[in-house]
Amino acid sequence: MKLGMMVLSLLLSVTAWGSDLTDAIDSMDSVQTQTLSDGRVILADGETGLTLYTFDADEENVSNCFDSCLIVWPVKAVTTDVKAPFDVHERANGELQLTLNGQPLYFFKNDNAPLDINGDGVGNVWHLVEVQ
């Protein structure tokens, strides 16, 4: 139940930002949107176009993906300034990870091209970020 509420909360918070989220995406080089064939608009890396994901086990501004998890789910590192609702989380190793509404963002190692969404739903705890 708690897990479902976290997913619903993230989806609602992304939707609630509306134009603020769109403005932030438009003003940042590190992220962009991609439109899937079914019409959903998702968050992607600004350089590669690869899909970005969230992890249900994370807490606000806290990543719980370490060690072997990071081999499969590399962090979306960031070195540039960001605009709300995006922010930066400093990981234990000092790496700066991009967050959206406090949720750390990741790539999936089996996504090889823009519009790949192979990580969505993995273990029922990894989710792409829909931008509405």
Side-chain angles (χ1 to χ4, degrees):
M1 181 70 167
K2 181 180 177 186
L3 205 51
M5 293 303 291
M6 286 175 55
V7 172
L8 179 60
S9 174
L10 177 63
L11 181 59
L12 291 175
S13 62
V14 169
T15 303
W17 280 98
S19 65
D20 288 344
L21 177 59
T22 303
D23 291 346
I25 292 168
D26 290 344
S27 71
M28 294 170 49
D29 292 333
S30 57
V31 292
Q32 63 176 297
T33 58
Q34 296 278 349
T35 303
L36 299 174
S37 60
D38 63 8
R40 291 182 295 164
V41 178
I42 62 170
L43 190 63
D45 180 65
E47 185 176 327
T48 65
L50 292 174
T51 302
L52 295 171
Y53 297 90
T54 60
F55 181 35
D56 287 347
D58 286 345
E59 300 168 41
E60 187 171 338
N61 295 310
V62 175
S63 171
N64 288 309
C65 180
F66 302 100
D67 304 321
S68 60
C69 176
L70 291 175
I71 294 169
V72 179
W73 300 96
V75 303
K76 167 54 180 156
V78 65
T79 57
T80 59
D81 292 329
V82 298
K83 182 176 179 180
F86 293 95
D87 204 351
V88 177
H89 157 68
E90 185 173 352
R91 297 178 59 84
N93 66 359
E95 185 175 26
L96 300 179
Q97 183 173 9
L98 186 65
T99 65
L100 174 60
N101 296 326
Q103 291 285 216
L105 298 173
Y106 305 84
F107 296 103
F108 181 53
K109 78 168 189 157
N110 292 335
D111 284 350
N112 298 306
L115 303 177
D116 282 355
I117 57 170
N118 299 312
D120 190 36
V122 170
N124 293 319
V125 295
W126 290 95
H127 310 281
L128 57 77
V129 179
E130 288 189 53
V131 179
Q132 310 207 358

